[in-house]
Amino acid sequence: MRRTDVVSIAFVVPQQGPTGLYGPSCLACGQLAVEQLNARNGIAGRRVELVYVDAGRPAGVVAEEVGRLVDSGRVDAVAGWHISAVRVALARRIGGRVVYAFAAMHEGGDDTPGVFLLGERPVNQLLPAAAWLREHHGARRWVVVGNDYIYPRVTGAVAQEALRDKGSEIIHSAYVPLGTSDFRGVLDELRRTPADGVIMLLMGQDAVHFNRQFARAGLSDRLLRLSPAIEENTLLGAGAGANDGLFAAAAYFDGTHTVESGEFARTYYARFGPFAPALNAVGESCYEAIRFLARLGEVAGSIDIGSVAALPSGHFYDSPRGLMRLDGNLVDQDVYLAAADGLQFTIQDQITTIA
């Protein structure tokens, strides 16, 4: 029997596999969000609890576990960071039944009822980042190296078309299975390419392996790297020597130095201490997802899918990322470009601004 005084959220984040690298940051940020909400009014006056689901397993396995939780009434909503392949499987299994706050960057195009896509998308992340690198570093010819699932494939195709109209081009693409650790074949192709840079659409540990091998192959001096998915854990995993010439685009970095991000970082480190899991875009996006559900409850009076369906597009709210604007089931947000500096990022510019 469902408790009416508690909002239970299936918190779907990776705890194993290539994306398990992000897990500790996701778990810490999710815990912080719940503690803050429960110290106030919870969600629509109800205490919040997380039901943890490991998103590092095959998509169908994850979707079935969450589906059973929804079927039984054990959870009221779904939130978290996981790859789009898991999102697609989840949307098919539970779409239209509970609100689902998907935290990760995404390829767009999912209009499943109740699904809110909170992360960055190519039009406000990858494309303006590529334009900035063309303007400031002369990078016009790109090779895409990505994992072989929906987000990298669709994002690569979008970039292929969009960059052609902006004086740049993708001259080659290579997609590898999630969990790849040997990139010798890809690196052999990069040695022969006339490209100026690599658009990396690799996740987690795959990106760590690629960056290490890329640097050992001596390619850092010749090719820039641009990623919408690289974050602080990936820098740490690869090591400082593997990060030269690496750029990342995201709506949040630990060190963005806005009022909102600074306050969030102080709160995070005060709660978890100086040896806390890395504070990064992936973990912070999980905080975003849970706080977004709370915002829905505040505005709609409930997070029941029927209640939130009436939430107007164009709704603004504040977050550690600054001002956010709901656009249908998408969120518009400021996006920054950062350069790797050893094991940290240094913000280069704000590349997208909410109009």
Side-chain angles (χ1 to χ4, degrees), residues 105-125:
M105 70 277 169
H106 59 89
E107 69 283 355
D110 191 335
D111 58 359
T112 304
V115 174
F116 290 90
L117 306 175
L118 308 183
E120 309 91 335
R121 55 196 192 275
V123 69
N124 67 5
Q125 183 187 30

Side-chain angles (χ1 to χ4, degrees), residues 43-288:
I43 293 180
R46 299 161 63 190
R47 284 186 56 80
V48 184
E49 68 172 12
L50 300 180
V51 178
Y52 296 95
V53 177
D54 182 2
R57 299 169 296 166
V61 173
V62 179
E64 186 55 33
E65 180 174 339
V66 176
R68 290 195 298 269
L69 291 171
V70 173
D71 292 345
S72 66
R74 176 66 180 85
V75 297
D76 305 278
V78 177
W81 190 103
H82 35 273
I83 65 173
S84 287
V86 173
R87 187 201 78 234
V88 170
L90 275 173
R92 288 174 179 158
R93 181 65 170 81
I94 63 165
R97 299 171 61 195
V98 295
V99 172
Y100 174 12
F102 179 66
M105 70 277 169
H106 59 89
E107 69 283 355
D110 191 335
D111 58 359
T112 304
V115 174
F116 290 90
L117 306 175
L118 308 183
E120 309 91 335
R121 55 196 192 275
V123 69
N124 67 5
Q125 183 187 30
L126 181 61
L127 299 181
W132 191 94
L133 289 170
R134 183 187 68 239
E135 179 181 350
H136 290 83
H137 292 274
R140 298 178 179 275
R141 295 169 298 180
W142 295 93
V143 172
V144 172
V145 179
N147 287 123
D148 192 4
Y149 69 94
I150 182 172
Y151 169 74
R153 285 280 186 178
V154 174
T155 299
V158 168
Q160 180 92 40
E161 294 299 317
L163 292 179
R164 186 181 297 125
D165 295 333
K166 298 181 182 298
S168 299
E169 62 178 327
I170 291 174
I171 62 175
H172 181 66
S173 298
Y175 294 96
V176 300
L178 191 65
T180 294
S181 59
D182 184 347
F183 287 91
R184 282 176 292 183
V186 173
L187 294 171
D188 286 342
E189 292 179 353
L190 290 178
R191 288 188 183 95
R192 298 189 295 268
T193 184
D196 305 306
V198 178
I199 293 175
M200 289 178 56
L201 303 176
L202 298 167
M203 300 296 120
Q205 194 63 39
D206 290 23
V208 169
H209 289 304
F210 177 80
N211 284 335
R212 288 174 178 168
Q213 293 166 36
F214 183 93
R216 286 200 299 267
L219 293 170
S220 300
D221 294 335
R222 187 168 67 84
L223 296 172
L224 299 176
R225 282 164 290 166
L226 168 63
S227 173
I230 294 285
E231 43 65 70
E232 286 79 355
N233 281 309
T234 317
L235 296 186
L236 291 168
N243 298 329
D244 291 343
L246 175 61
F247 293 83
Y252 182 89
F253 291 95
D254 186 15
T256 306
H257 299 308
T258 62
V259 172
E260 297 88 351
S261 66
E263 181 180 349
F264 178 64
R266 285 190 295 274
T267 302
Y268 179 84
Y269 289 115
R271 171 61 181 85
F272 296 109
F275 302 107
L279 185 53
N280 54 26
V282 175
E284 189 276 338
S285 74
C286 292
Y287 180 92
E288 289 284 344

